Amino acid sequence: MCGVAGWLDFERDLTQHGGTVRTMAAAMANRGPDAEAVWTDRRIALAFRRLAVIDLPGGHQPMVAEENGRTLAVLVYNGEVYNYRELREELAGRGHVFHTASDTEVVLAAYLEWGDDCAGHLDGMFAFGVWDPRENKLTLVRDRVGIKPLYYARVGHGFVFGSEVKALLAHPLVDAAVDGEGLAELLSFIATPGHAIYQGIHEVRAGHVLTVRENSVREHAYWSLPSREHTDRWDTTVDTVRHLLASSVSSHLVADVPLCTLLSGGIDSSAIVALTGKAMSGTRPRTFSVDFDGHTERFREDFWHHSPDAPYAAEVARFVGTEHQPITLHTADLADPVVGAAALTAQDLPRPTPDMDRSLYLLMRSVRQHSTVALMGEVADELFGGYRSFTDRNLVESDNFPWVTMGFGVAPHGMGTGLLEPALLAKVDVPGYSAGRHVEALREVPALPGEPAQDAMLRRIGYLHMTRWLPLLLARNDRLSMAVGLEVRVPYCDHRLVEYVFNIPWRFKTRGGEEKSPLRAAAAGLLPESVLRRKKSPFPITQDSSYGHVLREQLAAVVADSNSPVRPLVDLPAVTELLSEDRPIETVGWGERRNVEMVLQLDAWLRSYRVRIEL
């Protein structure tokens, strides 16, 4: 896993501008702690930061393909291609000669063989740029589901790109500005394809190829979620899910560095752990879990969390026989301003669940002390329909994204907005903005002729989760893991598995009255019965009241600071009323704490990034 950056200019000679792209890459140095390099030519400057995972001695970038002293193409590549060995053999049969054992060289050869169509031959998680001096063309490619990030912006007579927004903001021609639409996107908690919040900055869409020439920028899809009739019977469906997931897990275990699996004790991650154990026959898999000090003892069930993770994670570890290490966090860890700044900077944006971000960051940081690669169970809920937003009719039948509608139940303008200035909220109009984006998204859903109305409706809900919700989670996982130099892999994102499960009918996904029934059936015999039957419980949050005291103190400090950049955006009377109550901020549930945390996040973001808000 790595960080890439580049600057293309069709008028300026960039031969002497390697320092600029080096600075862009240095802004995300944590993505590549093992090596850095720069390559320049008249029209383009490329920079690379490497986290070595496969072929440690080889695979150096930017990688240049030459023939008779002539440069054919130059590649900067982030990710892993899991079928690179098969592709290497195929490409060797077509006359390509390889000098390393890396997947990087395979990607470069694939471009030379198939051009922009190379993306469809790659299986894995990847985002890369190829400069082709033969055509004066830059090609940017992103994997099918959007696991790995890639951003870009037009500047003057050129174009800049990078693995993270911070790389672009390090370029002297790119400003940190956010307009009303960007703020609405941020507060809506949706991921509109291509949108990057910051004005003038965009993200290459998942499953897309973007080509840049002197007079044009074009983007086209090479993959999208397909709708197909599901004709398999129940037993065949379960067998296919088991086979596809096992195959994906096996391919994700390829690495030349220490590897582990993150374990929550839920069915999603537990299935990955069990299949990892089978694939690593004779070797004990290593697993890590996260918990808060005293959380199991003082746990209180809320709308989302039905049970603490720790007992289930320990049970799975014993059952599978893993080398398990629980990571215990303390309230002081979450309140540490250094940790808060690290989690915010990793994502380049404020998010309404910063405590979850910090705890995930701390987990990743602890895991990185032992492993360079970690598998995790993300995406199963989006695929198999594990959220309440698939089953609650009030959410499913609303005229907005289900999770956004759920947020309106916490605050009228959405989760985390309860302490923001009413005039600001009226101008930004989160309900109207998200409703408009919802209509756009529904137009994209691939219809299946003759499908029953119930299945068609839930196909739409699944599509919304896969294309507007999942990108938020994948981005969080990528940024927080790469902030500590840890590569996270997501076996549920295998496109063959995604295509198959997306089309499983709802009666199968809820067979027996349980959510994610095909996955539970596929894991039968691999896991304890208690885990197979466990209800969905999201990533844990601390319920310690002392965290509420910390939030109260931090909120009071922010509003007392007359120079705080967030003050114009805050409903000061509402904050004053809240602080007048002699109690800590409520830490059970997602209402009050999220409102306070959003104010604190916005303040930290505006200060550290010097963001210019343009409404």
Side-chain angles (χ1 to χ4, degrees):
M1 207 66 70
C2 310
V4 305
W7 179 14
L8 172 68
D9 199 298
F10 290 104
E11 292 195 357
R12 190 188 314 234
D13 186 344
L14 297 183
T15 306
Q16 302 303 316
H17 286 271
T20 299
V21 291
R22 190 182 298 275
T23 299
M24 293 172 66
M28 48 184 183
N30 288 339
R31 294 190 73 91
D34 297 329
E36 72 164 358
V38 169
W39 185 91
T40 63
D41 201 354
R42 288 188 67 249
R43 289 289 166 255
I44 196 165
L46 301 171
F48 178 73
R49 299 286 311 205
R50 186 185 189 198
L51 174 65
V53 173
I54 293 176
D55 185 17
L56 276 58
H60 296 290
Q61 300 184 47
M63 185 171 281
V64 182
E66 296 180 325
E67 184 178 70
N68 300 324
R70 174 184 174 224
T71 298
L72 303 179
V74 188
L75 170 71
V76 283
Y77 155 72
N78 167 32
E80 306 292 348
V81 170
Y82 301 122
N83 66 330
Y84 78 98
R85 290 170 175 164
E86 296 86 346
L87 283 175
R88 178 190 177 98
E89 183 176 344
E90 178 182 353
L91 290 164
R94 292 171 176 258
H96 293 268
V97 178
F98 293 91
H99 305 283
T100 74
S102 69
D103 59 338
T104 304
E105 191 176 12
V106 172
V107 172
L108 183 54
Y111 174 80
L112 294 175
E113 180 66 31
W114 295 300
D116 293 349
D117 293 334
C118 68
H121 295 264
L122 309 177
D123 295 341
M125 55 179 189
F126 48 84
F128 59 86
V130 182
W131 169 245
D132 189 334
R134 299 168 300 177
E135 299 185 38
N136 273 343
K137 180 187 70 171
L138 172 67
T139 299
L140 301 181
V141 180
R142 195 155 174 237
D143 67 69
R144 294 169 179 82
V145 183
I147 308 169
K148 304 317 298 175
L150 193 56
Y151 296 90
Y152 66 92
R154 301 190 191 202
V155 290
H157 296 283
F159 192 91
V160 293
F161 69 93
S163 294
E164 297 185 14
V165 166
K166 61 175 61 67
L168 274 65
L169 294 178
H171 192 283
L173 298 179
V174 180
D175 293 328
V178 175
D179 58 18
E181 180 181 301
L183 198 56
E185 177 83 8
L186 174 68
L187 296 177
S188 294
F189 209 37
I190 56 176
T192 301
H195 210 300
I197 309 297
Y198 290 90
Q199 194 170 5
I201 297 179
H202 309 277
E203 187 171 24
V204 178
R205 298 184 180 204
H208 279 65
V209 174
L210 186 144
T211 55
V212 185
R213 301 178 188 271
E214 184 169 4
N215 298 312
S216 67
V217 177
R218 296 180 180 178
E219 191 172 18
H220 72 271
Y222 69 90
W223 183 87
S224 60
L225 274 171
S227 283
R228 301 170 183 155
E229 184 180 4
H230 186 85
T231 58
D232 290 346
R233 299 169 63 90
W234 168 253
D235 290 347
T236 303
T237 298
V238 173
D239 289 343
T240 303
V241 168
R242 183 186 296 115
H243 168 73
L244 289 172
L245 184 56
S247 176
S248 178
V249 168
S250 180
S251 70
H252 281 64
L253 297 177
V254 176
D256 296 329
V257 292
L259 178 146
C260 69
T261 301
L262 305 182
L263 173 62
S264 70
I267 183 65
D268 308 347
S269 64
S270 298
I272 299 297
V273 168
L275 292 170
T276 298
K278 288 179 69 67
M280 296 175 61
S281 179
T283 303
R284 292 182 67 192
R286 187 157 203 171
T287 53
F288 293 87
S289 62
V290 65
D291 197 15
F292 299 99
D293 184 38
H295 180 67
T296 300
E297 293 75 18
R298 60 171 170 262
F299 176 81
R300 285 187 286 166
E301 184 173 351
D302 61 25
F303 183 78
W304 280 274
H305 300 86
H306 300 285
S307 57
D309 284 348
Y312 293 94
E315 186 177 8
V316 171
R318 288 192 299 269
F319 190 91
V320 177
T322 74
E323 183 181 342
H324 185 61
Q325 183 173 337
I327 306 297
T328 302
L329 305 180
H330 303 270
T331 298
D333 299 326
L334 298 181
D336 185 342
V338 174
V339 173
L344 174 65
T345 302
Q347 300 181 90
D348 295 318
L349 287 169
R351 291 302 185 190
T353 56
D355 56 329
M356 297 172 71
D357 297 341
R358 292 169 195 158
S359 57
L360 186 58
Y361 169 81
L362 290 167
L363 170 63
M364 302 293 190
R365 191 176 70 178
S366 296
V367 170
R368 183 61 178 89
Q369 297 173 15
H370 308 277
S371 297
T372 308
V373 175
L375 274 63
M376 71 184 309
E378 202 78 89
V379 189
D381 285 313
E382 289 75 17
L383 272 181
F384 290 94
Y387 296 124
R388 288 192 180 187
S389 46
F390 280 85
T391 57
D392 186 323
R393 296 192 68 85
N394 291 328
L395 302 178
V396 171
E397 296 177 0
S398 72
D399 294 327
N400 214 313
F401 299 97
W403 60 93
V404 174
T405 300
M406 190 182 298
F408 293 154
V410 177
H413 292 271
M415 186 172 65
T417 63
L419 293 177
L420 298 184
E421 216 280 322
L424 169 72
L425 293 175
K427 193 167 188 177
V428 172
D429 187 18
V430 169
Y433 175 82
S434 55
R437 291 299 193 187
H438 178 253
V439 171
E440 290 177 3
L442 289 179
R443 293 196 193 107
E444 300 174 6
V445 180
L448 186 63
E451 186 172 41
Q454 174 78 355
D455 282 341
M457 178 176 67
L458 290 164
R459 179 182 297 277
R460 292 193 292 271
I461 297 300
Y463 185 89
L464 297 179
H465 280 83
M466 286 296 295
T467 62
R468 267 59 173 187
W469 169 258
L470 177 60
L472 297 171
L473 305 185
L474 293 176
R476 179 183 68 176
N477 294 335
D478 175 82
R479 305 310 185 277
L480 295 176
S481 61
M482 292 311 298
V484 297
L486 177 71
E487 174 178 299
V488 166
R489 299 179 178 179
V490 198
Y492 287 107
C493 276
D494 180 277
H495 72 277
R496 289 165 292 261
L497 179 66
V498 168
E499 291 175 6
Y500 186 80
V501 176
F502 178 68
N503 287 289
I504 294 176
W506 190 246
R507 68 182 185 280
F508 278 6
K509 289 184 177 179
T510 55
R511 186 182 172 100
E514 290 182 307
E515 82 277 3
K516 298 186 285 193
S517 294
L519 178 59
R520 297 179 191 277
L526 301 176
L527 294 170
E529 190 67 19
S530 61
V531 175
L532 290 174
R533 304 277 79 84
R534 187 188 179 197
K535 286 185 176 181
K536 165 70 182 174
S537 195
F539 192 82
I541 61 173
T542 181
Q543 296 180 335
D544 186 356
S545 61
S546 64
Y547 181 63
H549 286 288
V550 170
L551 291 179
R552 177 187 173 88
E553 293 170 2
Q554 292 177 343
L555 179 63
V558 164
V559 296
D561 181 1
S562 59
N563 294 318
S564 167
V566 82
R567 280 179 63 95
L569 309 181
V570 171
D571 185 350
L572 291 176
V575 172
T576 301
E577 181 180 352
L578 175 61
L579 293 175
S580 70
E581 302 176 20
D582 187 21
R583 62 173 179 81
I585 302 301
E586 179 59 60
T587 56
V588 177
W590 284 38
E592 190 170 270
R593 71 185 291 168
R594 297 304 176 214
N595 293 333
V596 172
E597 286 171 326
M598 178 55 83
V599 171
L600 300 177
Q601 284 280 287
L602 285 170
D603 180 71
W605 176 55
L606 293 171
R607 288 177 189 268
S608 59
Y609 280 73
R610 300 179 182 273
V611 179
R612 187 174 71 255
I613 303 294
E614 299 180 346
L615 298 178

